[in-house]
Amino acid sequence: MKTKLSVLSAAILSATLLVSPAISHAKLPVSVNGQQLPTLAPMLDKVTPGVVSIRVSGSKEVRQRVDPFDFFFGNPQRQPRAEKRPFSGLGSGVIIDASDGHIVTNNHVIQDAEKIIVTLQDGREFEAKLVGSDPQSDIALLEVDGDDLTEVKLADSDELRVGDFSVAIGNPFGLSHTVTSGIVSALGRSGLNIEGYEDFIQTDAAINQGNSGGALVNLNGELIGINTAILGASGGNVGIGFAIPSNMMKSLVDQILEYGEVRRGSLGILGSNVNAGVAKAFGLETKQGAIVNEIIEDSAAEKAGLKVNDVIVSIDGKKIHSFMELRSKIATSGEGKTVKLGIIRDGKNKTVKVKLGGMSDTATAADKMHRNLTGATLEAGQTDDGKEGVVIKSIDSNRAPAARVGLEEGDVILMVNRTRVESVRDLSKAVDDVEGYIFLRVQRGTRIFNVQIQ
């Protein structure tokens, strides 16, 4: 294949050399009949210097696969053994603060990296340091020490509408500063189980491997999102890409800069989606939003006066479409922030101000333990026959990762592999301590069985 390609290239080159003296190059017109031809070039000239290519390298543990039966009854010699293997990867990033050298990208681009190299459009390279990251929302903040950097101005992503034009810039397959265009296909996408907290912009601008962490901009060259994921069986572009909204990204970055970590906001409710059936039952005109099913004691919601059966339809004047979208917006807003919730109570529209608590204020901690427990609310409790364990108080929806692995509301977790757990803290520590497969011993009624979460 290499030989054929080389011969073809040589033939084309020879042909070009032979005919080139006879070719006259006509200059393309910039206008036709006095009208300027449409082009994104002037905007891209300003923006692309603010989009960088990222190259990472490091090593991570790889565990051998063994028969899960051995974890409980098998030969101790057959327990999984971990070994370190080198890896490298490519991604993209966006300069959001030129003076401080701050670059935002996806957490999955730099996860486990021991060395991060940032390459600018002009060819300059810098070794970046990691300021902070948040795996659940897939955001990471880097810093480089460089002069004459170009930052990309942030847009208000809450002002986006379906149909707005969008332009993706990144490093797909290592092809730096590739530009593709499309439109905003949908807003507020959640429940995709791509990340722990999802509130994606969907676009049909071509996004491929290596675009992760790159810029999604509007026609003014302003950042509306961070390209994060694609939906496609082949792993390539099929016109369905997802980006983290710029407002969500900025909130997370601000928390990382202020606290060194993301401090998630908590409302302190259990809820579900409003759909046609719920709307009919409650006499609602809207068929979108989140209905409050339970309010956790001493939570931000209780202090603000929210009630069971309230229907939350907006946050700070922006409509929400689902409980998952509400959950993501609240969590990424940050602990201590005051938000205005638009609610429908007994058929009347009201506005309630809520000062958000922190995640430690509620029993909801499952998403921090393991990605496949996301969506579950946990608390210490007992089985019907008196065994101490961790009760699954609720699961957000039947599409949540916790539900997809086979867990149900009311299940009681008794063991992690061969370790007994009697509190949420026990469960969290036991999951952290496991290397390899994780099995939960669960009791549901009188039935006891194992659920594999990794």
Side-chain angles (χ1 to χ4, degrees), residues 287-304:
K287 295 178 177 61
Q288 295 180 326
I291 186 165
V292 179
N293 296 329
E294 184 178 345
I295 295 177
I296 296 173
E297 186 179 352
D298 201 33
S299 65
E302 185 181 66
K303 293 173 183 176

Side-chain angles (χ1 to χ4, degrees), residues 185-425:
S185 305
L187 296 167
R189 285 294 193 210
S190 60
L192 303 171
N193 298 323
I194 298 172
E195 310 297 350
Y197 295 95
E198 300 176 346
D199 183 23
F200 290 123
I201 300 166
Q202 182 182 326
T203 180
D204 65 347
I207 296 174
N208 288 287
Q209 295 178 22
N211 268 116
S212 291
L216 189 70
V217 301
N218 59 23
L219 293 187
N220 292 325
E222 299 165 329
L223 187 70
I224 59 175
I226 300 297
N227 299 322
T228 297
I230 56 177
L231 188 64
S234 65
N237 173 62
V238 292
I240 303 178
F242 301 100
I244 297 169
S246 57
N247 286 4
M248 178 176 171
M249 176 273 293
K250 186 177 186 305
S251 175
L252 294 165
V253 165
D254 287 347
Q255 292 174 58
I256 290 172
L257 288 173
E258 183 172 357
Y259 306 115
E261 63 180 359
V262 170
R263 295 187 176 179
R264 303 196 195 287
S266 171
L267 188 56
I269 66 169
L270 304 178
S272 56
N273 297 335
V274 173
N275 53 32
V278 172
K280 183 177 180 180
F282 285 83
L284 302 172
E285 293 184 5
T286 182
K287 295 178 177 61
Q288 295 180 326
I291 186 165
V292 179
N293 296 329
E294 184 178 345
I295 295 177
I296 296 173
E297 186 179 352
D298 201 33
S299 65
E302 185 181 66
K303 293 173 183 176
L306 283 175
K307 297 181 179 180
V308 171
N309 292 338
D310 282 348
V311 177
I312 303 173
V313 294
S314 68
I315 300 178
D316 291 333
K318 308 298 180 183
K319 288 184 179 179
I320 62 160
H321 302 88
S322 66
F323 182 77
M324 288 294 287
E325 183 181 353
L326 171 69
R327 174 178 175 269
S328 293
K329 286 186 180 295
I330 290 295
T332 55
S333 292
E335 181 180 351
K337 183 177 179 181
T338 299
V339 297
K340 293 180 181 179
L341 299 181
I343 68 169
I344 300 173
R345 179 183 294 168
D346 299 327
K348 297 179 181 179
N349 293 311
K350 294 179 176 290
T351 300
V352 177
K353 282 187 178 181
V354 183
K355 184 177 181 180
L356 300 178
M359 278 296 186
S360 59
D361 297 340
T362 74
T364 307
D367 56 339
K368 290 187 176 183
M369 294 182 197
H370 195 279
R371 63 184 183 280
N372 283 334
L373 291 177
T374 298
T377 302
L378 309 175
E379 65 179 13
Q382 293 181 336
T383 62
D384 293 339
D385 53 359
K387 297 188 189 78
E388 297 289 338
V390 176
V391 179
I392 297 181
K393 191 172 182 181
S394 68
I395 295 180
D396 284 346
S397 73
N398 60 9
R399 295 187 62 192
R404 292 174 66 182
V405 298
L407 294 170
E408 295 182 4
E409 183 177 328
D411 287 349
V412 181
I413 302 170
L414 302 173
M415 300 178 70
V416 176
N417 290 2
R418 286 170 285 190
T419 302
R420 285 281 290 121
V421 294
E422 296 183 356
S423 68
V424 174
R425 181 173 294 181

